[in-house]
Amino acid sequence: MPVEERATQPWAQLLVYGFGPDADFEGRLVGALQRIETGGALRILEALFVQKDADSGEIAATSLRSDGAGGVVSPLLGFRLDPAERRRATERALSEGGTGAAETLQQLAAALEPGAAIAAVLVEHAWGRALDDAVSRTGGTPLAGRFVEANALAELSADLLAAARNPY
């Protein structure tokens, strides 16, 4: 990727997951998000979850923005464990005007089959900013940067050679 593209690339990634009626929500998602929040390499910017009950068609939804200090996991625990909090969170999420999230959640809920759910997480790659800063202070220039499906750099030799041949 050319330097101009790379230099303006945000360090955020959208992760979206779908779940069928047989999904077993026992806290594994909340646990994974907690590990992300405490690890330091990634920062959760925003998370949402929408589920349509298989029998009643009732919607359970939440949309959370991080305050940067582990602000996503705690409300998700209440949402998961307390039916009254789940109802309050759903009402807030589906009715908050002006945020854009309410409309998105309503559209997602309408698109879900009974029993299905969707979760989306927007994460910031904090490590990327730190590495870019270190490279810049060292006098280096970013040549390429993208997510790839590979387990070894040798699998990406064509990409590496292209970046080395076109540094600017």
Side-chain angles (χ1 to χ4, degrees):
M1 161 181 326
V3 174
E4 297 77 29
E5 268 185 64
R6 177 64 178 83
T8 61
Q9 177 181 337
W11 284 104
Q13 181 180 14
L14 172 64
L15 304 167
V16 182
Y17 304 96
F19 304 91
D22 58 342
D24 186 12
F25 297 105
E26 292 185 354
R28 287 180 284 275
L29 294 175
V30 174
L33 292 173
Q34 183 176 27
R35 288 188 297 279
I36 289 170
E37 279 193 334
T38 60
L42 297 175
R43 185 172 74 92
I44 298 171
L45 300 173
E46 194 168 352
L48 67 80
F49 178 83
V50 183
Q51 182 177 30
K52 185 182 283 188
D53 185 85
D55 299 323
S56 68
E58 185 176 321
I59 301 301
T62 189
S63 177
L64 302 165
R65 291 189 62 81
S66 175
D67 61 6
V72 172
V73 171
S74 181
L76 283 175
L77 284 172
F79 179 85
R80 184 178 94 71
L81 298 173
D82 182 358
E85 177 54 31
R86 188 167 34 258
R87 280 190 298 279
R88 286 189 297 273
T90 299
E91 288 175 18
R92 278 191 309 271
L94 293 176
S95 66
E96 287 180 351
T99 65
E103 184 178 337
T104 299
L105 288 169
Q106 291 167 352
Q107 292 172 348
L108 288 170
L112 289 175
E113 296 294 325
I118 189 167
V121 182
L122 184 63
V123 295
E124 177 187 27
H125 290 265
W127 61 267
R129 290 193 193 282
L131 188 57
D132 272 0
D133 183 57
V135 166
S136 175
R137 289 174 184 253
T138 306
T141 304
L143 298 179
R146 64 184 174 88
F147 290 97
V148 296
E149 292 186 22
N151 293 316
L153 286 174
E155 296 174 39
L156 303 168
S157 61
D159 297 283
L160 296 171
L161 291 169
R165 289 183 182 127
N166 299 307
Y168 301 102

